[in-house]
Amino acid sequence: MLYPTLNQPLMFLLLIIAGLASGVIFDILNMVVTLLGNDKYSHHFFNFLSVLFSFALLFVINLKFNYGQFRIYVLAIFIASFLLERLISKILWTKLIKKCYSIFGRKRQKDEQGESN
């Protein structure tokens, strides 16, 4: 009983990392869907795949480090860190992509105007 209690700070940290990693998995697979043309079937397939990877990651970490004891804090920490990553990535990646697009868009327009003159 004492060893799982001493293991809880490590489990807390690992659950935060797992939630962040699951958010990254969702972001990467959403980028793949966008690159494939945003087809409805590929969107559903890759969402299912990312959910499967996320639950597998949570299951393995819970089984390996928490000895399979699934408590409510496990789910709460995982979901909170997942939502935090989704919020941060939405703000960060959206701003970054908009800036890159505007920089490259301006450069491309200048190049096209220079070639047409």
Side-chain angles (χ1 to χ4, degrees):
M1 185 70 170
L2 182 63
Y3 187 69
T5 304
L6 292 175
N7 203 21
Q8 285 181 356
L10 175 65
M11 189 63 196
F12 182 79
L13 179 65
L14 289 173
L15 285 171
I16 290 174
I17 292 171
L20 295 174
S22 294
V24 170
I25 289 170
F26 268 88
D27 288 338
I28 289 171
L29 291 178
N30 281 335
M31 285 184 214
V32 169
V33 168
T34 305
L35 291 175
L36 290 177
N38 238 354
D39 183 27
K40 181 174 82 170
Y41 297 112
S42 64
H43 183 71
H44 289 304
F45 174 73
F46 282 111
N47 274 345
F48 174 73
L49 199 61
S50 55
V51 168
L52 192 68
F53 284 151
S54 296
F55 282 138
L57 180 66
L58 178 62
F59 177 74
V60 167
I61 286 178
N62 194 33
L63 189 63
K64 178 105 174 134
F65 294 100
N66 205 20
Y67 307 107
Q69 296 177 359
F70 196 80
R71 297 185 177 142
I72 193 70
Y73 78 90
V74 171
L75 191 59
I77 294 170
F78 181 78
I79 290 174
S81 62
F82 175 78
L83 292 175
L84 179 68
E85 192 281 332
R86 297 297 291 165
L87 179 68
I88 289 172
S89 70
K90 183 183 285 186
I91 294 169
L92 178 70
W93 293 118
T94 305
K95 288 183 180 180
L96 183 66
I97 289 171
K98 283 182 181 178
K99 284 184 181 182
C100 289
Y101 183 74
S102 65
I103 290 171
F104 290 124
R106 287 185 205 148
K107 184 185 267 188
R108 190 175 194 186
Q109 285 177 351
K110 289 179 183 178
D111 290 341
E112 289 175 0
Q113 289 175 354
E115 290 175 2
S116 63
N117 287 334

